[in-house]
Amino acid sequence: METDSTSFTELWDRVVGTQPDPSEWLVAVTALIALAAIVPYGVWRLTRNAVTIAHEGGHGLVALLSGRKLDGIRLHSDTSGLTVSRGKPTGLGMILTAAAGYTAPSLLGLAGAWLLAAGHITALLWGAVLLLAAMLIMIRNAYGLLTVVLTGALFFLISWFTDADVQAGFAYAAVWFLLLGGVRPVFELQRKRAGGRAPESDADQLHRLTGIPAALWLFFFYVVALGSLLIGARLLLEPAF
């Protein structure tokens, strides 16, 4: 029993403990890696799946926190997704749920940047594993199960089997990706709406729920995404530089 207790204590200390600040080159290189995963369209068609996980996870989490019943989440191979919840069709809970999707990747990135700035690299990796495991319970299609399992497995393997430098590099790349990747979907939504190809977008649903023009909701998404990127970048760069 003492050995088990000691092992648990060591594991807990490993998770909540702090790690040294990374070198300047690691912070810069991981930012470039994240950009390379977002800017080229061919690569983005694959990596956008991770943003969709965060987007739909945001809808799901806020639905639960606002008292709605979460029926399930679907992730599709075209990087779209659908979160279904039950409750009042109007009201604050529905508004918060609808607003959570496009803001979730950026806000998760900002939270991750705060953890990294505080030196909690391992806590970030394990936190991601726990969030993905919780989301897995609500996935309702095979492709969604596959993407969430693979993403969670990647975070777990990095956190458990690699050394501190690899963990730091992966964690910084992941946070940069969320911060930068949270911006591009908002631009894509704007283009789709301009072409009349997104009549049921989150911004349009929010317009019907609140009476506030969809364009203002789109502006709100931009403010959250760009604000999170600026603050998050400062948090990531300040310790290293």
Side-chain angles (χ1 to χ4, degrees):
M1 292 296 293
E2 184 177 350
T3 302
D4 292 341
S5 177
T6 302
S7 298
F8 177 79
T9 301
E10 291 175 349
L11 178 61
W12 178 253
D13 290 341
R14 177 181 174 185
V15 172
V16 301
T18 59
Q19 291 77 44
D21 290 337
S23 60
E24 294 89 342
W25 72 265
L26 184 143
V27 178
V29 168
T30 52
L32 292 175
I33 291 172
L35 275 174
I38 293 166
V39 175
Y41 179 71
V43 178
W44 175 242
R45 288 181 62 187
L46 176 63
T47 59
R48 197 185 194 282
N49 283 286
V51 175
T52 303
I53 291 173
H55 179 114
E56 299 303 331
H59 282 313
L61 176 61
V62 174
L64 290 173
L65 292 176
S66 62
R68 299 180 62 80
K69 179 176 174 57
L70 184 59
D71 284 343
I73 298 172
R74 291 178 176 270
L75 307 173
H76 305 132
S77 59
D78 63 355
T79 72
S80 65
L82 177 66
T83 299
V84 179
S85 64
R86 283 185 290 161
K88 287 181 59 178
T90 59
L92 182 60
M94 189 62 204
I95 293 169
L96 293 175
T97 299
Y102 278 95
T103 57
S106 297
L107 293 177
L108 282 172
L110 182 59
W114 178 81
L115 283 173
L116 293 182
H120 293 294
I121 295 171
T122 304
L124 181 143
L125 297 174
W126 278 61
V129 172
L130 292 175
L131 287 174
L132 289 164
M135 184 176 178
L136 187 63
I137 300 171
M138 300 309 302
I139 298 295
R140 295 293 182 264
N141 67 323
Y143 184 81
L145 285 171
L146 178 64
T147 55
V148 173
V149 167
L150 289 177
T151 305
L154 179 60
F155 272 89
F156 173 76
L157 291 173
I158 292 292
S159 67
W160 193 258
F161 293 107
T162 64
D163 61 27
D165 289 338
V166 175
Q167 290 182 23
F170 181 79
Y172 271 80
V175 169
W176 276 121
F177 176 80
L178 286 172
L179 291 171
L180 294 165
V183 178
R184 180 162 180 172
V186 185
F187 282 98
E188 293 175 339
L189 176 60
Q190 182 180 13
R191 288 200 303 269
K192 288 180 179 179
R193 292 194 69 256
R197 292 178 289 127
E200 297 299 321
S201 72
D202 291 357
D204 292 283
Q205 291 181 44
L206 286 162
H207 165 58
R208 289 192 289 272
L209 287 167
T210 64
I212 298 172
L216 287 182
W217 283 108
L218 188 64
F219 177 73
F220 170 71
F221 295 158
Y222 272 120
V223 169
V224 173
L226 294 173
S228 297
L229 174 58
L230 290 174
I231 297 171
R234 181 174 180 179
L235 287 170
L236 294 176
L237 293 169
E238 193 170 28
F241 293 93

